């Protein structure tokens, strides 16, 4: 069913362009071109073995950052299209949103932030921004991907205005970039970026339920009294009383995604009517998000997250892996900073003549770019005496 274009959509034709001017593509819109640049990055490929909750070596069936990003992009594109928004932009921001995550999920981020405290800290959102504006080196005339203004805006502030964070040392790279190329960090991002942010929430809540059951951390029966998923499970079992448990799980997740998408559509439609927004700039000027969950849905999601926190994120198996992961990264960081000559030759050469803070940031960038599997293997090579093959 064709949906008419929303008045408040971000038009590719009205893009503010790129920091470094370049000829437009003959075959793609600016946002589709951004999407393709992201897909071709080294950082995007590495997401295939970066963890969500479970470390990559624990099993092939759990979500990774790559499969999560693809799920987020699919949901974002579908919701954007249904709302009459620019689907390419929503999809692009969704694909980019996790590029800066280090190995081992939030445990890895916490450890790198701790190690980097004397040197400015670490934030995965800022690291994502640095990946697309500086660290990916694929073009002869600039560092980074030279993405459109709208994509960069969405990458750094899809969750809302960020000016309150700019005084944090870990956000200095964003503040510095903004001084030379303003992203209007005090306002909201486009509706497309907001769609990508909620698509992230929809994807991870659902796949964490799915992965948690598969991992044996809780059962479908444990979920019956949990808001949102409980009534959906009841409905699936009522409709299909003899269905195999694995199909019950998949059908319940499918219905929960549908329920959350429907809620976003309804609440956003209500806010559009309430605010009367009639342009992409009007969306940016609002004092709150335009794309949002309803209050009842937010309350249900809070209860679901509390269940997942207690039964999954704090599970002893996850805690044990988190502890191991933090030790791996801490020991590598300390060694690389103290003995930089054990780093790969190209990285070691680039550190020559730089101050300690700059060297620490480069070490942090190297570790943040690792996959779970590579980090485990690199740690083993560094701390266990063995012959190189």
């Amino acid at each position: 069913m064709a949906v008419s274009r929303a008045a408040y959509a971000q038009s590719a034709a009205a893009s503010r362009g790129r920091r470094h001017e370049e000829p437009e593509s003959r075959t793609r819109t600016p946002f589709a071109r951004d999407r393709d640049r992201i897909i071709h990055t080294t950082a995007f490929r590495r997401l295939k073995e970066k963890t969500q909750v479970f470390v990559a070596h624990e099993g092939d069936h759990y979500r990774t950052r790559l499969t999560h990003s693809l799920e987020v992009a699919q949901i974002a594109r579908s919701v954007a299209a249904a709302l009459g928004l620019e689907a390419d932009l929503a999809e692009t921001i969704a694909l980019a949103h996790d590029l800066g995550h280090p190995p081992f999920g939030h445990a890895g981020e916490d450890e790198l932030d701790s190690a980097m405290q004397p040197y400015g800290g670490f934030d995965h959102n800022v690291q994502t921004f640095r990946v697309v504006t500086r660290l990916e080196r694929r073009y002869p005339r600039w560092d980074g991907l030279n993405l459109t203004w709208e994509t960069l805006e969405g990458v750094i502030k899809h969750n809302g205005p960020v000016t309150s964070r700019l005084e944090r040392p870990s956000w200095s790279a964003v503040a510095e970039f903004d001084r030379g190329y303003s992203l209007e960090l005090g306002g909201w991002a486009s509706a497309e970026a907001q769609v990508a942010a909620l698509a992230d929430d929809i994807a991870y809540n659902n796949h964490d339920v799915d992965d948690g059951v598969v991992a044996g951390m809780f059962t479908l029966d444990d979920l019956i009294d949990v808001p949102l998923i409980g009534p959906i499970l009841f409905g699936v079992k009522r409709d299909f009383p003899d269905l195999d448990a694995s199909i019950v799980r998949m059908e319940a997740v499918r219905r929960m995604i549908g329920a959350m998408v429907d809620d976003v559509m309804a609440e956003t439609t209500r806010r559009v009517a309430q605010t009367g927004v009639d342009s992409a700039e009007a969306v940016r000027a609002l004092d709150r998000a335009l794309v949002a969950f309803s209050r009842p849905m937010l309350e249900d999601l809070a209860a679901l997250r509390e269940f997942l926190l207690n039964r999954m994120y704090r599970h002893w198996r996850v805690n044990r892996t988190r502890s191991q992961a933090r030790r791996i990264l801490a020991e590598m960081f300390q060694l690389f900073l103290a003995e930089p000559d054990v780093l790969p030759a190209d990285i070691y050469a680039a550190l020559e003549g730089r101050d300690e803070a700059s060297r620490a940031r480069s070490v942090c960038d190297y570790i943040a770019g690792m996959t779970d599997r590579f980090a485990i293997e690199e740690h083993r090579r560094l701390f266990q005496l063995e012959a190189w093959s």
Side-chain angles (χ1 to χ4, degrees):
M1 182 180 66
V3 177
S4 60
R5 184 175 185 83
Y8 57 93
Q10 173 62 59
S11 167
S15 170
R16 301 191 193 184
R18 305 175 189 275
R19 187 176 191 181
H20 305 284
E21 291 187 11
E22 57 180 302
E24 292 296 338
S25 169
R26 295 187 301 273
T27 58
R28 297 165 294 171
T29 69
F31 303 144
R33 195 179 191 186
D34 284 354
R35 176 196 60 212
D36 297 345
R37 289 183 175 187
I38 288 162
I39 289 172
H40 284 280
T41 61
T42 301
F44 187 76
R45 290 194 299 276
R46 287 175 178 167
L47 295 179
K48 69 185 178 69
E49 286 191 349
K50 290 195 178 189
T51 193
Q52 282 291 114
V53 175
F54 301 98
V55 174
H57 76 286
E58 293 182 279
D60 294 330
H61 299 288
Y62 301 123
R63 268 71 170 190
T64 65
R65 291 283 172 193
L66 179 59
T67 59
H68 167 67
S69 295
L70 294 174
E71 291 178 14
V72 175
Q74 176 266 313
I75 294 169
R77 186 172 188 91
S78 298
V79 172
L83 288 170
L85 299 174
E86 178 55 68
D88 283 345
L89 178 57
E91 180 184 29
T92 297
I93 295 166
L95 289 170
H97 84 282
D98 268 357
L99 292 178
H101 267 287
F104 310 129
H106 292 293
E109 178 174 11
D110 290 344
E111 185 54 46
L112 284 183
D113 185 44
S114 176
M116 285 294 294
Q117 278 305 303
Y119 313 107
F122 178 85
D123 183 290
H124 79 266
N125 289 308
V126 175
Q127 191 71 3
T128 293
F129 189 78
R130 293 180 69 243
V131 165
V132 300
T133 59
R134 181 185 301 179
L135 298 181
E136 283 285 336
R137 295 186 172 96
R138 312 180 70 83
Y139 301 94
R141 293 190 291 121
W142 55 74
D143 290 337
L145 304 180
N146 198 32
L147 302 175
T148 61
W149 186 94
E150 292 78 14
T151 296
L152 289 178
E153 174 207 38
V155 165
I156 200 58
K157 58 176 186 174
H158 53 274
N159 287 316
V162 296
T163 45
S164 62
R165 305 179 189 180
L166 296 181
E167 296 303 317
R168 301 177 189 176
S170 60
W171 277 71
S172 61
V174 177
E176 179 185 354
F177 185 95
D178 188 65
R179 284 193 290 270
Y181 187 70
S182 175
L183 296 173
E184 299 176 3
L185 299 178
W188 289 87
S190 64
E192 288 82 1
Q194 295 177 38
V195 165
L198 290 200
D200 185 25
D201 289 346
I202 293 170
Y204 82 71
N205 277 292
N206 281 278
H207 65 53
D208 283 357
V209 166
D210 197 20
D211 285 351
V213 173
V214 171
M217 293 181 169
F218 48 85
T219 67
L220 293 178
D221 288 341
D222 293 331
L223 291 163
I224 288 294
D225 294 326
V226 178
L228 186 58
I229 184 63
I232 288 173
L233 272 171
F234 180 83
V236 174
K237 292 182 176 183
R238 179 197 60 214
D239 295 343
F240 305 100
D242 300 320
L243 202 61
D244 179 85
S246 65
I247 307 300
V248 169
R249 183 189 80 248
M250 294 178 197
E251 175 65 10
V253 168
R254 186 186 70 80
R255 291 188 184 188
M256 188 161 73
I257 291 174
M260 294 175 73
V261 166
D262 288 346
D263 184 83
V264 169
M265 296 282 294
E267 179 64 16
T268 301
T269 300
R270 186 187 71 80
R271 293 189 180 201
V272 168
Q274 182 184 64
T275 60
V277 289
D278 57 1
S279 69
E281 295 310 312
V283 174
R284 294 184 173 96
L286 291 175
D287 60 0
R288 62 171 180 161
L290 181 71
V291 183
F293 291 120
S294 68
R295 182 175 296 277
M297 178 60 72
L298 288 172
E299 292 172 353
D300 285 351
L301 287 175
L304 175 60
R305 287 168 184 151
E306 182 68 20
F307 174 88
L308 291 171
L309 180 67
N310 293 326
R311 297 297 297 271
M312 185 176 183
Y313 307 145
R314 291 177 178 168
H315 193 281
W316 67 267
R317 283 166 50 195
V318 175
N319 288 341
R320 182 173 292 182
T321 301
R322 183 181 295 116
S323 175
Q324 292 170 330
R326 293 195 66 156
R327 284 197 301 277
I328 287 172
L329 297 194
E331 290 174 357
M332 284 199 296
F333 183 90
Q334 292 164 7
L335 179 64
F336 289 148
L337 201 57
E339 302 178 38
D341 55 349
V342 304
L343 285 161
D346 58 331
I347 298 176
Y348 175 55
L351 298 182
E352 188 175 0
R354 296 165 65 179
D355 61 29
E356 185 176 6
S358 180
R359 294 199 305 272
R361 182 61 62 185
S362 292
V363 167
C364 180
D365 288 341
Y366 176 55
I367 293 174
M370 294 179 179
T371 64
D372 294 6
R373 196 179 304 275
F374 182 82
I376 292 168
E377 292 174 354
E378 184 78 334
H379 182 270
R380 176 177 53 79
R381 288 190 291 263
L382 289 164
F383 291 94
Q384 294 181 26
L385 189 63
E386 58 184 39
W388 281 81
S389 57

